C-alpha cells in the first residue's frame, strides 16, 4: 500500500509552506507548469463575449489509497469542509485497506443518429437492412474517427434502439436510434462521437431512405462504469462519542431513507457530486456531462424512480462486522485532447495525480464521491455538519478583509487565534473579528520567504507526531512534517511517532539514544516550565508548543552531528550565525577559519547586556526593528552543505543531518516571523535559538568561569521554553522589561539545571572517568561528548590540573562520599557569592505562576538520582 504519511499535517501549513512542499515533491511538474492559471488571452479564444476570468480555490484531497496506490486528488470547490471531509474519510478508509475499484474494459461512448418518419409497417424492414449492413457501417464509421482507430479504439459496435413514442402518431409510433459504440481511448469522446454521428448520417439515410434527425453524442455512457468500494470494520467506526456499530447502523438507515424519499436522495447525491464535480473542475472535465449522466443513472438504476447513487450495508465476514460502501457511476472523462492543453492548471492537477489515464481518473472521481458521501452521512448521523463547517467559515470571515472585500480582516499571523476566538465565543461574524483585532492590537507582520533556492528533486520528509495526550480534547495532536532536500542518493523518510520503528537506522544516527519516548517524555516534563499570566492568554498554544519542539529537535540533531563532525558543523553553523540576520548593520564575523569564536552579542540582532546574575537586558530602542524574512533561505547555506558533503563523503549525518537541521531551523524562523505578532518577542526568540546552538558548538569562547557556566547552561534551553510560552501573551504585554525578566528566570533555571545535572554524584564520578579516557575536556566545548561545569570550575578558578582531578577518583564508595562532600560545599559557597538572582521567582509578589517552575527544578534534581552512584561504584 502506498504511503500517505508525507501529507500528514498538510492542512496546518501555511499556503506558502504547502506550495513549497508541492515544489519539493513534484519538482519537474512545478518547473514545467508552475502554479500558472488560465490567461485572459487564452480565455478570450475559448468563449464568446469573454470579459475576463474568474477564480476558485484549488485544494488537495489527501490520504486516498485506491487499489493499493496512494493518490493525491486536486479539487476545485468554493464550499468549505468538502476537501477536509474527503481527506478525513479517505484517511480512515485507507487505514482499513483503502478503496477497491473496477474500471471499464473499454472507454465506450455512444454516438446517436435519429432515424425519423419510419412507418410502423416499414419498421421491421428498416431494422433488418441496418443489421445486415452492420460490418460495413462499422468499418465506414471508423473513417470518421481515424485517430482513435489507429490508437486501438474507434467504433467497435453498432446497435439499433427502438423506443415507443409517448405521443400517438397515426403512422409512426417508434423512435429508431442508431448507436455507434466508440472506444475513445483516453479522450472524453463527445467531439469524436458527434463527428461520427454527423459523418455517418448520410450513409444511414441512403441505406434506409429515412429522414435523419439529431446526430449527437449521448452523455449517458452505460458501458463506461467505474465502481468504488470500501469495507470498514465497524470496530473502527467510532466517531464523536458514538460507538462504531451505532455509526454504521445510522449510516445504513440514512441510505435507506434516501432510497425511499427522492427529496432526500437528491441531497444525498448532491454530496456525492460535491466531490466528483470538484475533481472534474480541477482536471478540466465537462462537469455538466458528468452531472447529467450521474443524475440520469440515479433515475435509471432501479425501476422505482430517483435513487441514492451510493449503497451501504453491514455485513459479517469471518466473525467481524463491516460497513460496506459502494458507488458505481457511468463517468466520461478524458486525459487527452479537449481543453486540457489550454489551461495550465489542469496540467498541474493531472500531474499531481500522477498523470492518470482517463479510466484511472474516472475511478478516482468515483472514490472521492464515495468518500464525500460517507463523510457527510457520518457527520449527519452523529454531530451534524454545522460544527465542521464552522471553523472554515470562521476562517473565511477572518481572512475576508485581507482580500479587500470587507472592513474586517486579520493579518496572517492572527488568523488561527481569531478563528479559535470566534468558535469559542460562538460569534462567527465580522464584528467579532474587528473586536478581537482591536482588543489585541495585533500588528501585521509579513514574512517574505526567499525560496529561490528551493531544491528541485524529490524531498525527504521528517515527520514527528506527539500523541502523548491525544485522547484529551484539550491537547490536540502535535505534529511536525518537514520537507527537506538531502544530499544523498535518494530521499529519506524519517518518522517519529509512537509507532515508528526505533531501529530505523537514519533516525538512530540522527537522534542517537534520544528515542521517540525520550523526546516526548522530556518535552512533556519541560512543558511544565510554564509562564502563565493573570491576564487571559491568546489561543496560540500549538504555536508555542511547536516552537519548543522544533528547538529541542534542532539541539539534539546539532549535537549529534557536532560530535562526529565538529569542524564541518562549526563551518555550517558559523555560516548560519553570520547570515545577514535581521539587521544589516550588525557586525559580521571576521572570515578567519579557526578557532571559531564569536561574542554572544554578535550572534543575534538584539544587543544583550549581561548582568552580574548572568541574566541579560534588552535595549528598548533596538528591540522593535521590523522583521521581514528569515535569512536562512539564502542559497549560500545550501551550497555550504553541498561543499561540506563533497569534501567529506556520504556520511548520513552530513547528507541528511545538516539539511534537516537547516530545514527545521527554517521552519522555526518562518513560524516565528509569520505567526508571532510582537516584533520584540519574535526577534528575541530567533536570537535565543542562535545562542543555544552557538553554545552547543562552543562558538563562544568563555573568558571566565562565570561565562563558561552561562554558556553550558544555555543548552538546557529553559529561556527558549519560557519565551515560547510568551507567544501566548497579549501583544501589549510583551515589553522589554518582560523579556528581560524571562531571560533572568530562564538563566536562573538553566543554571539550576546544569548544576543539578553536573553535580549529581553519579555523573561527576563518571565525568572524572571520562576525563581519564580523553572523552571530556576542561572547557565548555562538548565536542568530546560531555562537559562538566564543576570540573571546569576546579580547573579555571582553582588551578586543578587534569592529574589533580584524576587523583580525586576514589577506591571505594565511602572514599568518594568523602571527596564529594568536601568539594561540593566549596563550590556552592562560591556560587552563592557570585550569583544573586535578579528576580526571585519564588517570591510571593512574583507576577508569574511558578508551580510549574518548581516542579521542573525538582525533576532535574530527582532525575540524577543519588542512588545511581552506589550501583556505579560497587
Ligand atoms: C452539502 O454540500 C452536502 C450535504 O448536504 C450532503 C448530504 O446531505 O448528504 C451535506
Amino acid at each position: 500500500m502506498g504511503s500517505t504519511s508525507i501529507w500528514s499535517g498538510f492542512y496546518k501549513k501555511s499556503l506558502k509552506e504547502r506550495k513549497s512542499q508541492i515544489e519539493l515533491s513534484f519538482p519537474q511538474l512545478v518547473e514545467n507548469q508552475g502554479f500558472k492559471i488560465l490567461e485572459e488571452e487564452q480565455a478570450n479564444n475559448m468563449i464568446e463575449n469573454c470579459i475576463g476570468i474568474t477564480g476558485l480555490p484549488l485544494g488537495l484531497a489527501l490520504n486516498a489509497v485506491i487499489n493499493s496506490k496512494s493518490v493525491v486528488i486536486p479539487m476545485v470547490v468554493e464550499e468549505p469542509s468538502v476537501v477536509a471531509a474527503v481527506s478525513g474519510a479517505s484517511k480512515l478508509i485507507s487505514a482499513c485497506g483503502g478503496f477497491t475499484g473496477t474500471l471499464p474494459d473499454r472507454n465506450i461512448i455512444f454516438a446517436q443518429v435519429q432515424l425519423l418518419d419510419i412507418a410502423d409497417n416499414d419498421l421491421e424492414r428498416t431494422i433488418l437492412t441496418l443489421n445486415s449492413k452492420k460490418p460495413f457501417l462499422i468499418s465506414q464509421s471508423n473513417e470518421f474517427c481515424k485517430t482513435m482507430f489507429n490508437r486501438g479504439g474507434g467504433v467497435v459496435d453498432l446497435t439499433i434502439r427502438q423506443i415507443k413514442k409517448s405521443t400517438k402518431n397515426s403512422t409512426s409510433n417508434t423512435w429508431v436510434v442508431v448507436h455507434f459504440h466508440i472506444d475513445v481511448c483516453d479522450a472524453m469522446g463527445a467531439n469524436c462521437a458527434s463527428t461520427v454521428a454527423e459523418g455517418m448520417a448520410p450513409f444511414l439515410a441512403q441505406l434506409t431512405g429515412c429522414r435523419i434527425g439529431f446526430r449527437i453524442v449521448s452523455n449517458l455512457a452505460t458501458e463506461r462504469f467505474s465502481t468504488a468500494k470500501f469495507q470498514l470494520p465497524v470496530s473502527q467506526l467510532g466517531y464523536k462519542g458514538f460507538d462504531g456499530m451505532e455509526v454504521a447502523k445510522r449510516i445504513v438507515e440514512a441510505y435507506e431513507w434516501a432510497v425511499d424519499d427522492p427529496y432526500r436522495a437528491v441531497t444525498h447525491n448532491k454530496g456525492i457530486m460535491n466531490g466528483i464535480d470538484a475533481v472534474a473542475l480541477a482536471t478540466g472535465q465537462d462537469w455538466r456531462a458528468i452531472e447529467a449522466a450521474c443524475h440520469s443513472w440515479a433515475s435509471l438504476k432501479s425501476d422505482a424512480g430517483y435513487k441514492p447513487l451510493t449503497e451501504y450495508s453491514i455485513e459479517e465476514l469471518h466473525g467481524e462486522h463491516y460497513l460496506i460502501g459502494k458507488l458505481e457511476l457511468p463517468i466520461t472523462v478524458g486525459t487527452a485532447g479537449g481543453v486540457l492543453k489550454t489551461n495550465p492548471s489542469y496540467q498541474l492537477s493531472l500531474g499531481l495525480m500522477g498523470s492518470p489515464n482517463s479510466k484511472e481518473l474516472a475511478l478516482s472521481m468515483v472514490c472521492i464521491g464515495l468518500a464525500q458521501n460517507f463523510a457527510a452521512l457520518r457527520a449527519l448521523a452523529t454531530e451534524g455538519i454545522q460544527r465542521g463547517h464552522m471553523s472554515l467559515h470562521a476562517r473565511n470571515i477572518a481572512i475576508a478583509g485581507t482580500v479587500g472585500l470587507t472592513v474586517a480582516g486579520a493579518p496572517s499571523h492572527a488568523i488561527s487565534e481569531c478563528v479559535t476566538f470566534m468558535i469559542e465565543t460562538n460569534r462567527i461574524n465580522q464584528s467579532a473579528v474587528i473586536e478581537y483585532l482591536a482588543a489585541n492590537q495585533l500588528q501585521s507582520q509579513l514574512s517574505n520567504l526567499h525560496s529561490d533556492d528551493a531544491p528541485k528533486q524529490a524531498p525527504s520528509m521528517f515527520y514527528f507526531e506527539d500523541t502523548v495526550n491525544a485522547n484529551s480534547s484539550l491537547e490536540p495532536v502535535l505534529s511536525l512534517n518537514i520537507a527537506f532536500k538531502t544530499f544523498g542518493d535518494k530521499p529519506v523518510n524519517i518518522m517519529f511517532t509512537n509507532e515508528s520503528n526505533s531501529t530505523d537506522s537514519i533516525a538512530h544516527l540522527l537522534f542517537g539514544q534520544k528515542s521517540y519516548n525520550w523526546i516526548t517524555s522530556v518535552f512533556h516534563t519541560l512543558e511544565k516550565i510554564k509562564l502563565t499570566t493573570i491576564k487571559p492568554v491568546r489561543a496560540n498554544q500549538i504555536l508555542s508548543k511547536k516552537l519548543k519542539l522544533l528547538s529541542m529537535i534542532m539541539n539534539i540533531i546539532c549535537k549529534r552531528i557536532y560530535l562526529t563532525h565538529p569542524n564541518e558543523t562549526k563551518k555550517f553553523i558559523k555560516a548560519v550565525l553570520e547570515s545577514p540576520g535581521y539587521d544589516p548593520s550588525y557586525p559580521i564575523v571576521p572570515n578567519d577559519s579557526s578557532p571559531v569564536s564569536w561574542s554572544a552579542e554578535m550572534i543575534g540582532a538584539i544587543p544583550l547586556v549581561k548582568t552580574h546574575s548572568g541574566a541579560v537586558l534588552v535595549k528598548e530602542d533596538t528591540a522593535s526593528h521590523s522583521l521581514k524574512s528569515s535569512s536562512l533561505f539564502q542559497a549560500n547555506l545550501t551550497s555550504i552543505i553541498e561543499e561540506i558533503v563533497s569534501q567529506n563523503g556520504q556520511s548520513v549525518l552530513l547528507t541528511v543531518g545538516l539539511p534537516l537541521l537547516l530545514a527545521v531551523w527554517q521552519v522555526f524562523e518562518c513560524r516565528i516571523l509569520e505567526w508571532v505578532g510582537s516584533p520584540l518577542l519574535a526577534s528575541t526568540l530567533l536570537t535565543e535559538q542562535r545562542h543555544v546552538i552557538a553554545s552547543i558548538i562552543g562558538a563562544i569562547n568563555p573568558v571566565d568561569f562565570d561565562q563558561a557556566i552561562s554558556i553550558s547552561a544555555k543548552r538546557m534551553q529553559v529561556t527558549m521554553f519560557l519565551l515560547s510560552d510568551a507567544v501566548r501573551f497579549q501583544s501589549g504585554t510583551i515589553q522589554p522589561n518582560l523579556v528581560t525578566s524571562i531571560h533572568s528566570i530562564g538563566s536562573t533555571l538553566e543554571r539550576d539545571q546544569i548544576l543539578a545535572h553536573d553535580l549529581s554524584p553519579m555523573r561527576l564520578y563518571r565525568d572524572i572517568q571520562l576525563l581519564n579516557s580523553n572523552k571530556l575536556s576542561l572547557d565548555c566545548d562538548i565536542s568530546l561528548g560531555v562537559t562538566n561545569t564543576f570540573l571546569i570550575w576546579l580547573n579555571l578558578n582553582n588551578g586543578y590540573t587534569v592529574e589533580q582531578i584524576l587523583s580525586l577518583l576514589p577506591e571505594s564508595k565511602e572514599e568518594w562520599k568523602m571527596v564529594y562532600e568536601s568539594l561540593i560545599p566549596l563550590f556552592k559557597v562560591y556560587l552563592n557569592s557570585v550569583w544573586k538572582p535578579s528576580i526571585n521567582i519564588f517570591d510571593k509578589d512574583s507576577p508569574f505562576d511558578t508551580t510549574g517552575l518548581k516542579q521542573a527544578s525538582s525533576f532535574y534534581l530527582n532525575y540524577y538520582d543519588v542512588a545511581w552512584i552506589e550501583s556505579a561504584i560497587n
Side-chain angles (χ1 to χ4, degrees):
M1 186 161 300
S3 161
T4 55
S5 57
I6 63 161
W7 301 106
S8 300
F10 193 67
Y11 73 102
K12 293 183 207 156
K13 298 188 172 187
S14 68
L15 180 60
K16 259 182 203 158
E17 281 174 299
R18 288 193 208 113
K19 285 176 112 170
S20 156
Q21 181 166 343
I22 297 294
E23 277 167 23
L24 282 161
S25 308
F26 301 90
Q28 212 62 50
L29 187 64
V30 176
E31 196 167 303
N32 294 342
Q33 306 303 330
F35 289 94
K36 285 188 231 128
I37 54 168
L38 184 66
E39 285 180 8
E40 271 192 4
E41 284 305 308
Q42 285 164 311
N44 193 30
N45 292 326
M46 288 169 74
I47 61 160
E48 307 72 32
N49 298 348
C50 175
I51 57 160
I53 46 177
T54 183
L56 281 172
L58 166 66
L60 289 187
L62 302 173
N63 309 322
V65 173
I66 304 174
N67 287 340
S68 303
K69 195 171 144 200
S70 69
V71 200
V72 173
I73 303 182
M75 298 177 85
V76 166
V77 63
E78 84 299 341
E79 186 175 327
S81 300
V82 167
V83 177
V86 166
S87 303
S90 298
K91 191 170 186 177
L92 174 66
I93 293 167
S94 302
C96 302
F99 297 94
T100 48
T102 55
L103 306 164
D105 283 343
R106 306 191 80 148
N107 269 338
I108 300 293
I109 201 163
F110 304 127
Q112 292 192 298
V113 181
Q114 190 190 22
L115 303 185
L116 292 167
D117 300 341
I118 302 174
D120 292 341
N121 58 13
D122 197 28
L123 186 60
E124 201 177 326
R125 183 200 63 82
T126 309
I127 306 290
L128 274 174
T129 310
L130 286 169
N131 273 330
S132 68
K133 293 291 176 190
K134 209 165 141 175
F136 161 74
L137 288 169
I138 292 177
S139 107
Q140 185 57 43
S141 57
N142 272 317
E143 292 297 315
F144 298 101
C145 55
K146 267 217 159 84
T147 331
M148 289 305 168
F149 185 75
N150 290 340
R151 279 191 215 144
V155 179
V156 292
D157 200 3
L158 176 151
T159 48
I160 301 134
R161 296 180 58 242
Q162 302 172 53
I163 306 129
K164 270 263 139 316
K165 287 185 182 172
S166 47
T167 315
K168 275 260 170 278
N169 182 299
S170 54
T171 54
S172 165
N173 282 294
T174 305
W175 301 110
V176 175
V177 186
V178 176
H179 273 200
F180 291 91
H181 300 221
I182 314 168
D183 177 346
V184 288
C185 303
D186 269 331
M188 183 267 190
N191 278 336
C192 172
S194 299
T195 310
V196 168
E198 289 194 0
M200 288 306 290
F203 291 91
L204 294 172
Q206 196 182 28
L207 210 60
T208 59
C210 302
R211 177 165 71 94
I212 297 294
F214 278 31
R215 296 143 296 160
I216 186 76
V217 65
S218 166
N219 285 118
L220 181 58
T222 47
E223 286 189 16
R224 206 163 164 177
F225 278 106
S226 307
T227 311
K229 190 178 156 188
F230 67 66
Q231 186 168 313
L232 294 172
V234 163
S235 57
Q236 303 297 310
L237 272 176
Y239 189 68
K240 306 283 173 195
F242 290 81
D243 151 63
M245 184 51 101
E246 185 61 27
V247 174
K249 281 184 177 161
R250 288 181 181 213
I251 288 177
V252 173
E253 188 181 47
Y255 156 67
E256 287 168 352
W257 173 35
V259 170
D260 294 334
D261 178 359
Y263 283 85
R264 172 56 207 159
V266 168
T267 322
H268 179 106
N269 290 345
K270 188 269 180 184
I272 296 171
M273 301 317 290
N274 272 348
I276 293 178
D277 286 347
V279 185
L281 273 163
T283 55
Q285 305 304 321
D286 181 345
W287 74 95
R288 288 87 55 208
I290 296 171
E291 276 281 341
C294 290
H295 289 293
S296 72
W297 181 239
S299 305
L300 290 173
K301 63 187 286 210
S302 108
D303 291 335
Y306 190 89
K307 295 291 167 206
L309 289 163
T310 49
E311 288 167 19
Y312 291 92
S313 58
I314 299 172
E315 287 172 28
E316 194 182 332
L317 300 165
H318 315 297
E320 191 170 0
H321 285 94
Y322 289 86
L323 174 73
I324 315 277
K326 202 174 141 190
L327 176 60
E328 183 175 47
L329 290 175
I331 295 239
T332 51
V333 290
T335 51
V339 293
L340 294 178
K341 290 268 179 315
T342 57
N343 189 333
S345 79
Y346 297 152
Q347 299 297 321
L348 177 72
S349 291
L350 288 167
L352 293 174
M353 294 182 77
S355 305
N357 62 32
S358 58
K359 292 178 191 171
E360 290 163 338
L361 175 60
L363 179 58
S364 297
M365 289 164 110
V366 180
C367 290
I368 289 304
L370 178 59
Q372 179 67 47
N373 178 243
F374 166 71
L377 297 191
R378 184 176 59 167
L380 288 165
T382 53
E383 63 168 5
I385 56 162
Q386 282 314 98
R387 212 185 143 67
H389 277 320
M390 231 158 33
S391 86
L392 256 174
H393 178 49
R395 181 166 284 268
N396 283 342
I397 291 186
I399 294 168
T402 58
V403 291
L405 296 176
T406 66
V407 273
S412 61
H413 66 264
I415 288 169
S416 294
E417 56 191 81
C418 205
V419 168
T420 313
F421 171 77
M422 284 192 270
I423 291 175
E424 278 175 4
T425 56
N426 201 16
R427 286 169 58 231
I428 303 181
N429 51 44
Q430 280 168 12
S431 54
V433 178
I434 295 167
E435 236 172 67
Y436 181 81
L437 294 179
N440 288 278
Q441 300 170 325
L442 292 165
Q443 296 144 14
S444 187
Q445 184 86 36
L446 290 176
S447 102
N448 179 16
L449 270 185
H450 295 301
S451 48
D452 300 348
D453 65 324
K456 302 273 185 291
Q457 69 182 53
S460 294
M461 299 301 296
F462 172 74
Y463 181 65
F464 182 94
E465 190 179 77
D466 173 23
T467 45
V468 172
N469 292 324
N471 291 333
S472 146
S473 57
L474 295 171
E475 295 258 355
V477 173
L478 185 65
S479 66
L480 300 174
N481 193 347
I482 295 173
F484 64 108
K485 183 197 174 223
T486 54
F487 288 91
D489 302 338
K490 48 182 183 336
V492 295
N493 281 321
I494 306 168
M495 296 282 289
F496 250 12
T497 68
N498 61 358
E499 281 154 25
S500 56
N501 188 350
S502 57
T503 57
D504 173 342
S505 61
I506 293 187
H508 190 70
L509 266 170
L510 293 176
F511 290 87
Q513 302 302 320
K514 310 283 193 269
S515 63
Y516 174 80
N517 286 341
W518 187 93
I519 295 178
T520 45
S521 78
V522 172
F523 175 68
H524 284 276
T525 309
L526 291 183
E527 259 279 285
K528 291 183 185 143
I529 311 177
K530 207 180 263 314
L531 284 187
T532 51
T533 56
I534 299 135
K535 291 191 183 177
V537 288
R538 286 160 43 182
N540 276 353
Q541 196 190 0
I542 287 287
L543 174 63
S544 134
K545 284 182 176 226
K546 269 202 173 150
L547 295 181
K548 293 176 185 180
L549 199 54
L550 289 166
S551 171
M552 241 181 107
I553 286 170
M554 267 186 271
N555 299 350
I556 296 171
I557 309 173
C558 181
K559 184 174 166 194
R560 287 288 297 176
I561 310 172
Y562 185 52
L563 291 181
T564 313
H565 300 284
N567 294 333
E568 292 72 27
T569 316
K570 273 191 177 173
K571 183 172 174 182
F572 171 68
I573 299 293
K574 180 177 187 287
V576 173
L577 299 183
E578 281 176 357
S579 63
Y582 329 106
D583 180 354
S585 66
Y586 215 72
I588 300 291
V589 181
N591 202 12
D592 62 334
S593 43
S594 68
V596 183
S597 167
W598 298 281
S599 70
E601 285 74 20
M602 280 174 132
I603 289 165
I606 306 178
L608 302 172
V609 182
K610 202 159 165 292
T611 66
H612 66 284
S613 64
V616 289
L617 288 174
V618 178
K619 278 199 189 156
E620 190 163 2
D621 52 341
T622 45
S624 60
H625 56 263
S626 69
L627 301 171
K628 288 251 183 301
S629 64
S630 162
S631 55
L632 300 189
F633 285 87
Q634 325 160 51
N636 179 29
L637 295 176
T638 316
S639 52
I640 284 177
I641 301 181
E642 211 160 4
E643 191 186 306
I644 291 174
V645 168
S646 71
Q647 287 164 2
N648 293 277
Q650 295 287 306
S651 154
V652 171
L653 285 167
L654 299 176
T655 57
V656 178
L658 282 183
L660 177 60
L661 176 60
L662 176 61
V664 177
W665 211 335
Q666 286 170 337
V667 170
F668 176 82
E669 294 212 340
C670 282
R671 286 270 171 235
I672 290 173
L673 292 170
E674 228 177 309
W675 297 94
V676 175
S678 151
L680 169 59
L681 183 58
S683 183
T684 312
L685 276 160
L686 297 174
T687 307
E688 182 63 18
Q689 181 58 32
R690 292 182 174 215
H691 278 281
V692 175
I693 295 287
S695 75
I696 291 173
I697 64 151
I700 308 159
N701 276 346
V703 290
D704 55 21
F705 176 70
D706 194 23
Q707 237 190 35
I709 195 165
S710 298
I711 294 168
S712 300
K714 204 60 14 253
R715 298 200 291 269
M716 308 312 275
Q717 68 186 93
V718 181
T719 312
M720 172 54 74
F721 269 59
L722 298 181
L723 288 169
S724 304
D725 274 327
V727 163
R728 306 189 64 213
F729 294 178
Q730 304 284 334
S731 55
T733 336
I734 314 279
Q735 298 298 333
N737 61 356
L738 177 97
V739 176
T740 302
S741 299
I742 291 178
H743 271 290
S744 299
I745 296 167
S747 46
T748 305
L749 275 168
E750 277 158 4
R751 281 199 316 269
D752 272 4
Q753 290 176 9
I754 196 82
L755 292 175
H757 185 274
D758 289 356
L759 288 184
S760 80
M762 152 73 182
R763 192 170 276 267
L764 196 53
Y765 176 78
R766 187 207 63 181
D767 288 351
I768 299 178
Q769 285 182 318
L770 288 177
L771 185 64
N772 192 24
S773 53
N774 274 336
K775 291 203 176 110
L776 179 141
S777 65
L778 289 174
D779 55 31
C780 54
D781 180 343
I782 57 159
S783 57
L784 293 179
V786 285
T787 59
N788 190 299
T789 40
F790 175 67
L791 299 183
I792 296 173
W793 178 72
L794 281 184
N795 175 252
L796 218 63
N797 282 27
N798 301 278
Y800 273 58
T801 61
V802 172
E803 288 67 36
Q804 282 169 317
I805 295 177
L806 290 178
S807 72
L808 300 174
L809 270 182
E811 293 284 325
S812 68
K813 186 169 99 182
E814 288 69 32
E815 225 180 287
W816 173 242
K817 210 167 169 222
M818 274 166 51
V819 172
Y820 186 84
E821 285 174 359
S822 64
L823 283 173
I824 298 302
L826 294 177
F827 187 42
K828 289 191 173 157
V829 168
Y830 167 78
L831 293 177
N832 282 336
S833 71
V834 292
W835 282 330
K836 293 177 191 64
S838 61
I839 180 165
N840 184 353
I841 55 168
F842 302 114
D843 193 329
K844 68 176 172 32
D845 294 327
S846 163
F848 304 110
D849 170 357
T850 54
T851 331
L853 298 179
K854 288 175 196 158
Q855 276 175 5
S857 287
S858 64
F859 159 75
Y860 273 96
L861 293 167
N862 294 333
Y863 187 72
Y864 301 104
D865 195 328
V866 180
W868 285 15
I869 182 64
E870 316 231 321
S871 53
I873 293 186
N874 291 330

